[in-house]
Amino acid sequence: FFSFGKKAVRIYGKTMKFTPTTILSGVLAAGFIGYCFYFDQQRRSAPDFKKKLIAKRRKEFDLVMESNEKRKEAEKRQNFVNTEIKLANECIQQGDNRDAAKHFFNAYKRYSQPEKLLEMVKTTCPDEVYVFVVDLVQKAKSRNQSESA
């Protein structure tokens, strides 16, 4: 049973008072929800809405595909470096230090942190291999400087 004359409503045995604050908050909430529906309807009825939506989704898709390509390229590079290091270690075991140095140098050219690779070669491989690798690196650097000049 409802009675609005006393500013109170009795619903299911509970009395609810309508103060100006509760009325104002209810009106504001209803207004906000109405504005959301209006804004969404205006956005959807815009002539270029579908074009913008498709362009946005295509751009997001392109970014995902580009990051996948970069990841695949990084994996290929890492696999190449790992293969070259493995081949170099096999050459060291066979006593072929010059070929081992060539494989380490190939890995050095593609590795993301070449100085760490040189440090690893210095600490784990025979000195002769390290000297060969450093010599190859210096020759490559001097060749690059002469080409750029």
Side-chain angles (χ1 to χ4, degrees):
F1 130 91
F2 297 102
S3 67
F4 291 104
K6 301 177 186 175
K7 288 190 177 180
V9 175
R10 188 174 181 95
I11 300 174
Y12 297 114
K14 294 185 180 182
T15 304
M16 296 180 64
K17 293 185 178 182
F18 289 107
T19 63
T21 306
T22 57
I23 293 172
L24 179 63
S25 61
V27 168
L28 289 176
F32 178 74
I33 291 172
Y35 176 75
C36 289
F37 280 113
Y38 170 77
F39 180 78
D40 187 55
Q41 189 272 336
Q42 290 292 356
R43 180 181 61 94
R44 287 176 183 256
S45 65
D48 59 344
F49 170 70
K50 284 189 177 183
K51 290 179 185 176
K52 286 182 179 179
L53 185 63
I54 290 170
K56 178 183 173 187
R57 288 181 179 170
R58 181 168 288 140
K59 184 178 178 182
E60 290 172 355
F61 178 76
D62 290 344
L63 287 175
V64 167
M65 293 305 291
E66 183 179 318
S67 67
N68 284 343
E69 289 173 7
K70 287 180 181 179
R71 183 182 45 80
K72 287 179 183 179
E73 181 62 33
E75 287 176 2
K76 285 181 185 178
R77 186 180 321 116
Q78 188 63 38
N79 287 338
F80 176 79
V81 169
N82 290 342
T83 302
E84 288 295 317
I85 290 173
K86 182 180 175 184
L87 291 172
N89 287 330
E90 289 174 5
C91 288
I92 289 172
Q93 289 175 355
Q94 294 172 358
D96 191 1
N97 289 340
R98 222 173 251 289
D99 280 345
K102 289 178 185 177
H103 287 296
F104 277 126
F105 178 67
N106 289 338
Y108 172 86
K109 291 189 295 188
R110 299 285 301 270
Y111 195 56
S112 61
Q113 299 171 333
E115 299 304 320
K116 283 189 176 184
L117 182 64
L118 280 179
E119 188 65 33
M120 187 267 308
V121 170
K122 183 178 183 179
T123 57
T124 61
C125 297
D127 290 336
E128 184 181 0
V129 174
Y130 177 71
V131 170
F132 286 149
V133 172
V134 169
D135 186 46
L136 289 171
V137 168
Q138 288 174 348
K139 286 180 183 176
K141 285 182 180 178
S142 66
R143 193 176 321 129
N144 286 342
Q145 288 175 352
S146 65
E147 288 176 1
S148 65

